Amino acid sequence: MWQSSPPGSIYDYIRVASFSIGPDGLVDQWSLRAAELFGVAAEDVRGRDPVDAFMPPELRTRGRGRVAEILDGKEWTGLVPFRAPGDRGVRGLAEVYVMPTETERGERGALCIVVDVRALRRIESDLAASEAIFGQSPFGFLLFGVDRTVKRVNQRFATVFGGYADEHRGRTVGDYLARPEAERLDAALRRVLETGEAVTELHLSGAVPGGGGERRHWSVNLYRVHSGSGRPVGVAGLGIDVTRRQIAAREAASARRNLALLNEASARIGNSLDLETTARELLDVAVPGFCDTATVDLYQALLTGEEAPPGRADDHSAALRRVASASAVSDAPLLNPADPPGCCATSSIEVGAVHSYPFHSPCATALRTGRPEAVPGAGGDLVHSTLVVPLTAHDTVVGLAQFSRTKGSEPFGERDRALAVELAARAAVCIDNARLYRREHERALILQRSLLPPGDPEAAGLDIACRYLPGTTATEVGGDWFDVIQLPGHRTALVVGDVMGRGLRAAVAMGELRTAVRTLAQLDLEPAEVLSHLDEIARGLGSPAGGAPGRPAARAAGGPELAEVYLATCVYAVYDSVTRRCTFANAGHLPPVLVEPGEKALMLDVPPGMPLGVGGEPFEEVEVELPEGALLALYTDGLVESRDHPLDEGMQAFRSALTDPAQPLEDVCDHVLGTLDTRHGEDDIALLLARVQGLPADAVGDWRLPREPRSVGRARELARAQLTAWDLEPLVDTVELLVSELVTNALRYGEGEIRLRLLLDRTLVCEVWDSGLVQPRRRRARDTDEGGRGLQLVGLLSAGWGSRRTPRGKTVWFELALPDGDAAAEPSVDQLLSMF
């Protein structure tokens, strides 16, 4: 059966040429292949002697002999050197097969079949190279036909997939790979055959026979193979086992991921000093970069601020609260360590719920031992791998973190375990820092509140209202304070101060300065003197032990930074309800604001002075007469200062908010705080408002007495008459006795004119003034002494007594509580005898 051979046969590679020699020994036929081989056209060689035309001169004699033998009817095969005609003729070597022929007339000729020896050598080299690649290559090599079946494989390939090389003929990719991978490779073969574009680095994976199920990875390169005529005859494939490379790359990627996670954890965890926020920051880093779901539980005792350390993880003392949870998988069940018998059941625990772990569960074990526990999931669970990691800070377990991976993710390995421990450790330190901050913050708040005046302060001749707004939990505790101090003679000290800095140290410094103010106020010093003493105290607080206050050497020796804690501003004012005059002294604080009835608010011109703790500068006093109904405002900078607007704008807004001082003071306070843009939370705010209500004229009795003995009796008469006018007869006897004692002392030990004054407000105050500077001193009289018991009697019968210096002498006073309708209690016999 005749049919055409397809292109690409062996003759395409060998390129056989032919020509014939006539009976005359000349060329009579010349094929096209001969023209290509020798480079001579048929018209140029036909009719010529082939020996003269193509053979070198030195071989022509032998050549003619061979031609003669051929024409005599002898076959011959051999190698014949030749050259193409012309000066640049190409020299070559041809293998010639000569067959004798006969013409129609019976004459003898010859048919010559010529093959270029160079083509044969090239074919031999190609075959040797092909055999070397297939047989000696250390990589798996295989050849697919156009039908995508295996035509040939090398021994390396057969060694990997079993059997002999010849046994793989006719197989398909489905015989070596699982269906998904086989479909990928088959699609690649189709694409290479159709387009001719090579496929490089095609990564495939699968198991090999006898490999124990171990998964291997290969990198496959595919390219189309052509015949000599350029016809595609198949696809060659080179497979390289890259399993180790894949493992190394996966480990390197895991290491890079872990380093990136740790770097992200360092940047994102611990930005807040809130426990719950810190726990959420941990989960934001872990999900989904490290795991699919995660939860954080903290000890309930840690969240409630109890000092007792967390107990053992039993049913009674291991109460924990879930503070955060996160999931990157929809409908993924979170962990519920409360379900027996283990620790990682399928039901979830809501955030905020308080729960405990069964004693023998992995979670409880991790809490007791401080070591992480790995918990595999059940066969049908979505969660198939869990790490339970205790949150340990400074060898103390503060809670538990659980990281879980669901189906489709790789189970946790040792590297993951180490990373989980590192993440938990970093978060635990931040959580412990937040716990310590919360504890310090709460203590500072307690200390700060305890140092503020309790309830609504009261003062003679003043209506008082105040507000104190601490900074929020986003800021530290500040050192703002205010105080209302009762002074003798129905006078009142009003104080507002601000310690620079924040935190517990600022609150402690504020408490020390406030206590010092109260102590100095009881000494009845002038406002400038009080601030001078406070300045010395503040500088002493800022100096290390044994150092001189305020000296640079002391500050350089490692003591606290004065600018952070022990610098303070303060306004100290003393109001006299009888004269309605107020004396101010200022240590670097914002000026007081005064609103007179019918007038706009104005800032009092009080010299600011230097802040407390700076030292070296005296403080000045300013005395202002306050009209009846005027409103006085003392405040701290948190009320008027903000980073969003200048201080002048805040002061103007504050004065504008005090437009109606006739309103009740509580309403005025609320209006001020509601009107001003205080940006509350940036700083503490202290506001002290006082409306002037001086003592009425009929509540004051004031007399001057000559320096003579009869003034004692006159003093008793005046006191009796005044008390009777005030309907205070129950106090007449006591007041007469005590007035006699004070006037007598003024005559005996004092100097100059004597002044007696009775003041009626919430209490009764009696004052005796003289120009002597010697302060009275209470002493215990001996049994044989006839005197020296007067001040003891004053101290026994009065609610309080004392003395204070004045610009031109001294004032001795005592105070009595007003009767409540019952008769005043008389001193007992023992009390009277104690004076003797």
Side-chain angles (χ1 to χ4, degrees):
M1 182 176 180
W2 294 84
Q3 63 179 8
S4 298
S5 298
S9 68
I10 188 62
Y11 299 106
D12 292 333
Y13 292 97
I14 300 176
R15 305 188 69 82
V16 178
S18 64
F19 65 89
S20 62
I21 301 175
D24 55 359
L26 303 178
V27 176
D28 61 356
Q29 290 185 358
W30 190 257
S31 69
L32 295 177
R33 286 284 180 89
E36 293 178 4
L37 175 62
F38 294 102
V40 181
E43 58 270 17
D44 295 333
V45 72
R46 190 179 297 117
R48 295 185 60 185
D49 184 352
V51 175
D52 294 335
F54 302 107
M55 295 190 68
E58 64 274 14
L59 299 178
R60 288 175 184 173
T61 303
R62 293 179 59 190
R64 289 190 181 93
R66 292 294 183 187
V67 171
E69 292 177 357
I70 292 170
L71 293 178
D72 288 340
K74 184 179 180 181
E75 290 188 7
W76 181 81
T77 300
L79 297 178
V80 179
F82 71 91
R83 65 175 179 84
D87 296 336
R88 297 184 178 180
V90 178
R91 291 181 176 271
L93 185 66
E95 185 175 51
V96 181
Y97 174 48
V98 181
M99 296 178 291
T101 62
E102 289 185 1
T103 65
E104 294 178 356
R105 294 189 295 272
E107 298 175 330
R108 292 187 177 182
L111 176 63
C112 301
I113 306 299
V114 183
V115 177
D116 190 352
V117 174
R118 293 174 298 176
L120 295 176
R121 298 291 183 266
R122 185 166 57 250
I123 293 174
E124 182 182 20
S125 299
D126 291 345
L127 289 175
S130 175
E131 287 298 325
I133 292 175
F134 264 78
Q136 303 174 23
S137 173
F139 309 116
F141 214 110
L142 69 168
L143 179 65
F144 294 93
V146 293
D147 58 354
R148 304 187 308 284
T149 60
V150 176
K151 299 302 181 183
R152 187 179 181 187
V153 302
N154 66 350
Q155 187 57 41
R156 174 59 181 169
F157 185 90
T159 301
V160 173
F161 287 93
Y164 297 99
D166 292 340
E167 296 176 355
H168 291 268
R169 294 181 186 274
R171 293 186 181 181
T172 63
V173 293
D175 296 322
Y176 305 105
L177 301 173
R179 181 173 180 179
E181 296 289 78
E183 291 177 349
R184 289 181 58 221
L185 179 57
D186 188 67
L189 290 173
R190 290 176 182 272
R191 187 165 63 252
V192 172
L193 284 171
E194 293 172 358
T195 66
E197 296 180 359
V199 173
T200 60
E201 297 292 332
L202 175 63
H203 290 276
L204 301 172
S205 62
V208 297
E214 180 184 0
R215 196 166 188 82
R216 310 293 296 178
H217 299 268
W218 298 280
S219 174
V220 178
N221 299 306
L222 303 174
Y223 57 92
R224 194 167 66 181
V225 179
H226 304 85
S227 67
S229 63
R231 180 180 64 87
V233 296
V235 176
L238 175 66
I240 303 173
D241 191 330
V242 293
T243 303
R244 293 183 179 180
R245 187 194 307 173
Q246 287 289 101
I247 294 174
R250 186 165 58 247
E251 291 181 351
S254 176
R256 288 193 299 269
R257 181 200 65 186
N258 293 353
L259 289 175
L261 275 175
L262 291 177
N263 183 61
E264 184 181 7
S266 300
R268 297 180 60 181
I269 300 177
N271 293 322
S272 170
L273 288 174
D274 180 74
L275 292 170
E276 291 81 358
T277 302
T278 303
R280 288 193 295 269
E281 290 171 345
L282 168 62
L283 300 192
D284 290 341
V285 172
V287 178
F290 176 68
C291 60
D292 299 317
T293 65
T295 62
V296 174
D297 300 325
L298 298 179
Y299 275 111
Q300 178 71 357
L302 180 143
L303 295 170
T304 56
E306 298 177 12
E307 293 296 330
R312 291 173 58 84
D314 53 33
D315 294 336
H316 303 288
S317 60
L320 291 102
R321 184 194 305 172
R322 178 145 297 172
V323 295
S325 66
S327 175
V329 181
S330 60
D331 301 328
L334 299 179
L335 307 179
N336 182 10
D339 289 348
C343 174
C344 297
T346 57
S347 58
S348 63
I349 297 176
E350 297 295 333
V351 173
V354 179
H355 60 90
S356 59
Y357 298 117
F359 185 82
H360 295 292
S361 65
C363 292
T365 302
L367 286 172
R368 287 195 306 272
T369 62
R371 294 190 297 269
E373 295 284 334
V375 183
D381 291 344
L382 178 61
V383 175
H384 72 93
S385 182
T386 298
L387 284 176
V388 179
V389 185
L391 300 173
T392 306
H394 311 299
D395 297 328
T396 301
V397 177
V398 298
L400 192 73
Q402 301 181 60
F403 307 101
S404 299
R405 288 180 179 175
T406 57
K407 289 184 177 179
S409 300
E410 292 186 2
F412 290 113
E414 286 301 319
R415 191 185 298 273
D416 297 319
R417 184 188 184 102
L419 177 60
V421 171
E422 181 66 22
L423 287 174
R426 296 192 180 198
V429 171
C430 296
I431 289 174
D432 194 54
N433 290 340
R435 175 185 68 86
L436 295 175
Y437 168 78
R438 174 182 289 186
R439 184 179 66 181
E440 179 181 347
H441 190 267
E442 291 175 352
R443 290 178 177 178
L445 286 177
I446 293 173
L447 175 62
Q448 193 175 44
R449 303 299 183 275
S450 67
L451 296 176
L452 295 175
D456 297 326
E458 296 181 353
L462 292 176
D463 185 12
I464 302 291
C466 55
R467 292 289 187 276
Y468 181 81
L469 301 179
T472 64
T473 55
T475 61
E476 298 183 22
V477 176
D480 294 11
W481 92 92
F482 68 90
D483 210 344
V484 178
I485 306 171
Q486 301 292 332
L487 299 179
H490 289 313
R491 294 174 305 129
T492 304
L494 303 176
V495 189
V496 169
D498 183 3
V499 176
M500 299 181 187
R502 296 184 179 278
L504 186 60
R505 296 174 67 192
V508 170
M510 177 268 283
E512 293 177 323
L513 291 178
R514 177 181 179 272
T515 302
V517 170
R518 280 190 159 268
T519 302
L520 294 171
Q522 296 303 323
L523 297 177
D524 218 344
L525 302 176
E526 296 298 325
E529 292 183 88
V530 171
L531 293 186
S532 296
H533 286 293
L534 280 180
D535 180 60
E536 291 293 331
I537 292 172
R539 290 197 294 163
L541 293 176
S543 300
R551 292 183 181 177
R555 300 182 187 183
E561 289 290 339
L562 303 185
E564 292 183 2
V565 176
Y566 295 119
L567 289 181
T569 62
C570 181
V571 169
Y572 186 86
V574 175
Y575 170 72
D576 190 334
S577 62
V578 178
T579 63
R580 295 201 311 275
R581 300 188 70 83
C582 189
T583 304
F584 296 91
N586 190 355
H589 203 79
L590 296 174
V593 174
L594 179 66
V595 187
E596 298 184 6
E599 301 291 338
K600 293 184 178 180
L602 57 89
M603 291 187 297
L604 295 179
D605 187 13
V606 180
M610 299 298 291
L612 302 177
V614 175
E617 294 292 334
F619 297 98
E620 300 182 39
E621 293 181 356
V622 172
E623 188 175 69
V624 179
E625 184 174 351
L626 305 180
E628 186 75 18
L631 180 64
L632 179 65
L634 303 179
Y635 52 95
T636 57
D637 57 359
L639 182 66
V640 296
E641 190 175 23
S642 171
R643 68 186 65 177
D644 297 331
H645 55 73
L647 178 61
D648 293 342
E649 292 183 9
M651 293 295 300
Q652 179 60 42
F654 178 46
R655 294 198 302 272
S656 300
L658 296 171
T659 54
D660 190 4
Q663 291 183 348
L665 284 186
E666 295 295 332
D667 295 342
V668 175
C669 286
D670 294 338
H671 176 71
V672 168
L673 295 178
T675 302
L676 296 183
D677 183 16
T678 59
R679 301 287 181 183
H680 181 52
E682 293 183 3
D683 196 2
D684 292 356
I685 295 176
L687 174 63
L688 178 61
L689 298 181
R691 179 175 287 120
V692 175
Q693 297 175 347
L695 288 180
D698 58 1
V700 180
D702 195 353
W703 306 276
R704 296 181 183 275
L705 303 173
R707 191 171 187 78
E708 54 188 29
R710 62 180 182 176
S711 293
V712 177
R714 178 61 179 163
R716 287 197 299 269
E717 294 173 1
L718 293 172
R720 184 186 309 111
Q722 187 64 68
L723 291 179
T724 302
W726 287 341
D727 296 328
L728 296 178
E729 287 84 356
L731 299 181
V732 169
D733 293 340
T734 302
V735 171
E736 283 187 340
L737 175 60
L738 299 185
V739 165
S740 297
E741 290 293 336
L742 295 187
V743 174
T744 300
N745 285 344
L747 289 172
R748 180 176 299 178
Y749 304 109
E751 300 176 4
E753 187 182 35
I754 299 173
R755 183 179 179 183
L756 172 64
R757 189 168 72 166
L758 294 179
L759 306 175
L760 177 62
D761 193 65
R762 295 189 308 276
T763 61
L764 177 67
V765 175
C766 176
E767 297 179 337
V768 175
W769 176 87
D770 69 85
S771 58
L773 298 179
V774 178
Q775 297 290 325
R777 181 172 60 88
R778 182 178 178 180
R779 63 184 180 86
R780 178 175 293 278
R782 295 189 297 270
D783 295 343
T784 57
D785 291 343
E786 296 183 0
R789 297 177 179 85
L791 291 181
Q792 292 188 45
L793 188 62
V794 172
L796 179 64
L797 298 179
S798 66
W801 76 278
S803 67
R804 67 178 184 273
R805 292 181 299 168
T806 64
R808 293 181 301 277
K810 67 177 181 297
T811 297
V812 183
W813 58 271
F814 68 83
E815 184 177 9
L816 294 175
L818 299 181
D820 56 2
D822 299 331
E826 297 291 339
S828 65
V829 176
D830 292 339
Q831 289 176 324
L832 294 175
L833 290 178
S834 66
M835 295 185 296
F836 297 94

